[in-house]
């Protein structure tokens, strides 16, 4: 009797950050829908994030989860810092390698690994086991490109920085014209010594393994980043722009399906009561405020926000994560006056069902830290943005949003008066202008994921690429 053909087996591995896991899970589910056998690998330490995970076996029988040790002691803080990346590089690698060897004996043999751009050890494991691999990028092509221009910036004397002016613009860099400021570069570029082990580690860590990668899969789309994507493509064998992945998945499995997937790995449970509150608000009147899953703010900043929001006169729905306030030197509690005041004007939650919120007809604008998922979700819901970027890729994304796409404005200073006037600009004086721009970008995103669209085609090519790997 003929042996039944086994599907290609793709192993996913990423850093334990909400903004990375969600788009990668969306990709994993899309590939599983296409008949590929998927294993998503997490560390034991994040198992608690899966406590509410409903049984996906009916919906996605090809999607499997495995847990490995990250090799770190239990009391390790596991915050996303330089040290964490150093530590997991060597400590987690043997556990991942053992798992893949074991998967080969109990499931279809592993055909390829898809790993997060910020960790190299899965690529090393793939190399050692003779398995092809892809690099996944959870943020914009513009930010991804900043890593590859560093040698040229050094050659041209832009690095190390000559002074402390982080807003200094760097011109003449193909693909990043008009959006490159010192502060938009990867964080290690601020190190004063470009020959230091830290600088070299992070430069080589993110770009050094690229020759071994079969391609870059990125959660953006051709029309959104038509400047930077062609430049980025010069550094990889192949670039697959397949975004926005959440919208792609929603188009396959139903609206908010990706939110459901994303909330499985969230540390906080989304408060659905805010939807009932939104139901009672006038059309397009509410400002949704959320700074994502990682960043912290001071208690005094929080108060400035509160005054700015209340003074703007617009109702607001505000996500204040229980761990959002810095604990150092300040009281790590939400000020009581903030909670009381917000009762009249707004609604505060620990964590919101963000995609559903953005699609609610009462929401008119999004005050965001510019995480790439938040931007993509806002675009798809046709909601203009106020950008308050703090770290990492958020800084260049804010310039992309406000200067190139013109679908939002950047908050220039974090005081109550600037906050109030910026909200009024977006939600009153320039409302229609921003709405028109975001509609235009949303239409091109929708076209991209639709039949024959660029992202749709790219994902088909990717799937074929993976299937061919299995044959080889
Ligand atoms: N998110 C959510 N509820 C919230 C805040 C955020 O579901 O109250 C989700 C949001 O939909 C997005 C992710 O968390 O998919 C945050 O990712 P992003 O890239 O925007 O920011 P990060 O958390 O990585 O800084």
């Amino acid at each position: 009797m003929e042996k039944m053909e086994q599907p290609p087996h793709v192993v996913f591995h990423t850093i334990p950050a909400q903004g990375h896991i969600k788009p990668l899970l969306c990709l994993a589910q899309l590939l599983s829908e296409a008949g590929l056998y998927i294993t998503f690998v997490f560390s034991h330490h994040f198992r608690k994030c899966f406590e509410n995970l409903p049984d996906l076996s009916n919906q996605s029988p090809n999607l499997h989860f495995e847990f490995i040790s990250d090799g770190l002691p239990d009391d390790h803080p596991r915050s996303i810092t330089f040290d964490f990346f150093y530590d997991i590089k060597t400590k987690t690698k043997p556990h991942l390698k053992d798992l893949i060897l074991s998967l080969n004996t109990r499931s279809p043999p592993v055909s390829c690994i898809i790993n997060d751009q910020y960790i190299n050890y899965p690529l090393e494991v793939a190399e050692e086991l003779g398995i092809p691999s892809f690099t996944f990028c959870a943020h914009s092509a513009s930010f991804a490109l900043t890593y590859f221009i560093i040698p040229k910036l050094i050659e041209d004397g832009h690095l190390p920085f000559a002074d402390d002016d982080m807003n200094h613009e760097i011109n003449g860099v193909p693909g990043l014209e008009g959006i490159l400021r010192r502060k938009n570069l990867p964080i290690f570029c601020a190190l004063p010594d470009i020959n230091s082990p830290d600088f070299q580690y992070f430069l080589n860590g993110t770009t050094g393994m690229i020759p071994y990668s079969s391609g870059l899969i990125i959660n953006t789309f051709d029309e959104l980043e038509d400047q930077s994507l062609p430049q980025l493509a010069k550094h990889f064998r192949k670039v697959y722009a397949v975004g926005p992945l959440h919208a792609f998945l929603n188009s396959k499995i139903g609206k908010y399906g990706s939110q459901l997937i994303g909330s499985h790995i969230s540390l906080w449970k989304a408060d659905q009561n805010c939807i009932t509150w939104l139901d009672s608000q006038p059309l397009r009147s509410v400002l949704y405020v959320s700074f994502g899953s990682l960043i912290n703010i001071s208690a005094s900043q929080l108060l400035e926000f509160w005054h700015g929001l209340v003074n703007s006169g617009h109702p607001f729905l505000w996500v204040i994560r229980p761990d959002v306030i810095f604990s150092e030197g300040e009281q790590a509690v939400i000020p009581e006056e903030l909670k009381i005041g917000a009762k009249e004007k707004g609604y505060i939650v620990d964590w919101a069902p963000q995609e559903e919120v953005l699609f609610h007809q009462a929401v008119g604008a999004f005050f965001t830290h510019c995480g790439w998922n938040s931007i993509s979700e806002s675009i798809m819901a046709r909601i203009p943005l106020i950008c308050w970027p703090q770290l990492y890729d958020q800084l260049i994304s804010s310039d992309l949003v406000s200067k190139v796409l013109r679908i939002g404005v950047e908050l220039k200073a974090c005081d109550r008066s600037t906050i109030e006037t910026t909200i009024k600009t977006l939600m009153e004086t320039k409302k229609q202008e921003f709405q028109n721009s975001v509609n235009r970008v949303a239409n091109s995103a929708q076209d991209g994921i639709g039949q024959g669209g660029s992202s749709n085609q790219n994902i088909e090519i990717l799937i074929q690429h993976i299937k061919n790997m299995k044959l080889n």
Side-chain angles (χ1 to χ4, degrees):
M1 206 171 78
E2 216 177 286
K3 214 174 144 196
M4 228 178 47
E5 214 202 314
Q6 296 194 324
H9 183 173
V10 187
V11 169
F12 284 74
H13 190 47
T14 179
I15 58 169
Q18 170 97 18
H20 290 236
I21 298 171
K22 179 172 172 185
L24 209 47
L25 261 176
C26 291
L27 177 66
Q29 186 152 6
L30 280 166
L31 296 190
S32 84
E33 294 282 311
L36 276 56
Y37 187 102
I38 308 294
T39 301
F40 211 105
V41 183
F42 287 100
S43 79
H44 285 304
H45 192 77
F46 288 87
R47 199 171 207 135
K48 64 175 179 292
C49 305
F50 287 81
E51 273 164 11
N52 298 324
L53 185 75
D55 185 6
L56 287 174
S57 50
N58 278 340
Q59 197 189 344
S60 300
N62 283 332
L63 186 56
H64 308 266
F65 294 93
E66 292 280 346
F67 296 88
I68 55 171
S69 163
D70 61 11
L72 305 179
D74 280 350
D75 60 355
H76 192 289
R78 291 175 173 80
S79 32
I80 310 289
T81 57
F82 280 1
D83 289 347
F84 178 69
F85 285 106
Y86 273 129
D87 290 347
I88 55 171
K89 179 179 162 56
T90 47
K91 303 271 170 49
T92 316
K93 183 180 163 184
H95 299 284
L96 182 66
K97 192 170 178 177
D98 285 350
L99 174 73
I100 289 176
L101 290 170
S102 133
L103 287 175
N104 281 341
T105 64
R106 59 186 160 95
S107 54
V110 175
S111 329
C112 74
I113 298 179
I114 298 183
N115 81 291
D116 191 287
Q117 182 197 9
Y118 288 110
I119 41 173
N120 271 344
Y121 61 86
L123 280 178
E124 291 173 8
V125 169
E127 263 297 285
E128 287 168 23
L129 298 178
I131 302 168
S133 58
F134 291 91
T135 307
F136 178 78
C137 178
H139 53 62
S140 66
S142 305
F143 189 62
L145 183 58
T146 61
Y147 284 88
F148 294 94
I149 60 166
I150 290 172
K152 182 83 173 100
L153 293 182
I154 294 173
E155 199 182 308
D156 293 349
H158 292 294
L159 273 172
F161 302 147
D163 53 51
D164 292 341
D165 178 10
M166 295 303 279
N167 279 316
H168 178 87
E169 283 185 21
I170 303 172
N171 294 310
V173 177
L176 297 173
E177 208 54 76
I179 54 168
L180 192 58
R181 297 190 263 178
R182 282 181 186 157
K183 68 178 182 186
N184 294 352
L185 288 165
I187 202 161
F188 63 87
C189 290
L191 292 169
D193 181 3
I194 57 169
N195 296 311
S196 70
D198 278 348
F199 190 98
Q200 291 302 320
Y201 173 81
F202 284 102
L203 179 57
N204 297 330
T206 34
T207 56
M209 289 298 287
I210 300 309
Y212 304 105
S213 169
S214 298
L216 177 78
I217 306 167
I218 186 162
N219 190 19
T220 187
F221 57 100
D222 288 354
E223 296 75 8
L224 188 73
E225 295 195 272
D226 57 355
Q227 274 198 72
S228 50
L229 268 169
Q231 295 300 324
L232 190 61
K234 294 181 180 169
H235 300 276
F236 288 86
R237 286 188 211 162
K238 185 90 185 90
V239 168
Y240 301 92
V242 292
L245 280 163
H246 78 284
F248 211 141
L249 185 61
N250 287 339
S251 72
K252 299 263 180 216
I253 65 170
K255 213 171 179 184
Y256 314 137
S258 74
Q259 177 177 281
L260 198 69
I261 291 278
S263 64
H264 294 159
I265 41 84
S266 165
L267 284 172
W268 305 278
K269 200 167 161 35
D271 184 342
Q272 288 293 338
N273 293 329
C274 63
I275 301 294
T276 316
W277 179 80
L278 283 174
D279 289 342
S280 68
Q281 301 303 314
L283 190 72
R284 296 273 173 248
S285 66
V286 175
L287 178 65
Y288 171 57
V289 189
S290 167
F291 304 133
S293 62
L294 286 174
I295 67 166
N296 300 107
I297 61 178
S298 66
S300 52
Q301 271 172 338
L302 203 72
L303 258 188
E304 287 305 305
F305 276 117
W306 176 65
H307 286 290
L309 290 169
V310 172
N311 294 345
S312 79
H314 289 275
F316 54 89
L317 167 60
W318 190 358
V319 177
I320 303 184
R321 295 188 332 263
D323 64 346
V324 78
I325 298 183
F326 282 125
S327 46
E328 267 175 53
E330 285 195 88
Q331 237 189 328
V333 290
I334 313 292
E336 204 48 38
E337 63 178 296
L338 190 151
K339 287 187 178 166
I340 296 165
K343 271 197 189 127
E344 291 159 27
K345 272 287 164 199
Y347 200 89
I348 292 180
V349 290
D350 286 357
W351 192 250
Q354 181 161 304
E355 285 185 49
E356 194 175 350
V357 164
L358 287 169
F359 268 102
H360 196 287
Q361 58 174 10
V363 173
F366 184 8
F367 202 145
T368 173
H369 71 306
C370 279
W372 192 240
N373 295 288
S374 292
I375 293 174
S376 308
E377 290 160 15
S378 205
I379 288 174
M380 294 316 292
R382 299 169 185 261
I383 299 294
L385 306 123
I386 296 174
C387 305
W388 188 60
Q390 297 304 293
L391 296 161
Y392 316 128
D393 61 306
Q394 299 156 20
L395 296 151
I396 201 164
S397 294
S398 175
D399 280 341
L400 189 68
V401 163
S402 57
K403 293 181 179 170
V404 179
L405 303 171
R406 298 182 184 282
I407 57 173
V409 282
E410 185 169 282
L411 185 70
K412 295 293 178 207
C414 190
D415 60 84
R416 60 191 72 179
S417 153
T418 311
I419 292 167
E420 178 190 339
T421 46
T422 309
I423 295 170
K424 286 180 171 163
T425 303
L426 195 82
M427 298 191 77
E428 295 170 22
T429 42
K430 296 201 169 171
K431 188 177 173 170
Q432 199 52 50
E433 185 184 321
F434 286 110
Q435 191 61 60
N436 292 344
S437 303
V438 81
N439 287 347
R440 178 179 42 78
V441 178
N443 288 343
S444 63
Q446 203 61 55
D447 290 347
I449 58 172
Q451 203 62 41
S454 60
S455 292
N456 201 314
Q457 286 183 9
N458 287 338
I459 213 153
E460 286 304 325
I461 299 169
L462 172 67
I463 291 167
Q464 203 46 56
H465 191 166
I466 294 172
K467 286 184 175 165
N468 291 346
M469 280 171 167
K470 195 201 157 231
L471 298 176
N472 293 332

